[in-house]
Amino acid sequence: AFYFLHDKLHEAAYGAIGSEQRCLHHFRYGLALGNVAVKERDDVLLITAVSQINHGGPQAVVDSEQCVAVASLNLDAGKKAMKMSDFFSAHSFFDHGISYLRRGHWEQQYDLSLELFNLAAKCALMNAEHDHLEILIQQIMHYAKCFEDKCQAISISITLHLLSGNVLEGVKITLSTLASLGEELSRSPWWVPQLVIDYITPSVIKQHL
C-alpha cells in the first residue's frame, strides 16, 4: 500500500485529478468497500462505503441496474443510521437513494421507492424539515397504490399538523381517513377528540365553542 508522507502532497495530487475522475474514483472505491461491508456485515464500513458512493453521485452510475443497487445500499445505510439515532445522516442516505432512482421508478421499483420515501419522511419529521417533508408526503400520496401503502404518510402528515399547532387540520385529515374506511364520525367543527383537545390552546377552543 502507498500513502503520502505529507497532507499537502495528498491535497496536491488529489487536486490534479479532474472533478469527473474524482467522482468516479470515490464511486468505485465506495462500491468496492460496499461489497466487503455487506459480506462482513460491518455496519460502520457500510456507512463509510455508501458515503464514498454518494460523493461520486448519480453521474458516476453506468446503468439502471447499478442505480437500483446503489439506491438499495443507501436504504440499508439509512436504516443503520436510524438505529444509531443519527436521523440527519439517515435522511441524507435516503435522499441520496431517491436521487439514484430513474424516471419511472414508481412503476419499475415500487417497493424500493415506497420504502425510501417513507423513511425519508420519518427522518424529515424528526429533523423538523417540514417543507421537504410535505414534498415527500405528496409524492407518496400520489403514487402509493393502496391505502395500506399510504398509512405511514397519513400518520406522519397528522403528526406534522399537531406539532405545527394546526390541530384542527390534523383532526380534519383523521376524520377524512376514517370516512374513507367507512367509519363515519361527526364532521361538526365542534367535535374534537378529547386527546386532541389537550393540544389546543384555550384561544382556539373558544373560537369553536
Side-chain angles (χ1 to χ4, degrees), residues 143-198:
Y143 288 105
K145 295 179 179 179
C146 59
F147 176 79
E148 286 76 11
D149 290 348
K150 296 178 181 180
C151 271
Q152 288 189 45
I154 293 171
S155 176
I156 291 172
S157 180
I158 293 170
T159 303
L160 173 61
H161 286 299
L162 294 177
L163 293 176
S164 302
N166 193 3
V167 181
L168 294 179
E169 183 62 27
V171 172
K172 181 180 177 181
I173 295 173
T174 302
L175 292 175
S176 175
T177 302
L178 290 172
S180 70
L181 295 173
E183 297 291 338
E184 290 287 348
L185 296 175
S186 172
R187 292 181 177 275
S188 166
W190 291 277
W191 184 90
V192 182
Q194 185 62 47
L195 180 62
V196 177
I197 287 178
D198 295 336

Side-chain angles (χ1 to χ4, degrees), residues 6-22:
H6 197 284
D7 288 343
K8 291 298 181 182
L9 292 175
H10 184 190
E11 292 174 8
Y14 186 77
I17 304 173
S19 59
E20 290 185 6
Q21 280 298 111
R22 285 201 299 268

Side-chain angles (χ1 to χ4, degrees), residues 8 43 134:
K8 291 298 181 182
D43 294 350
E134 290 179 357

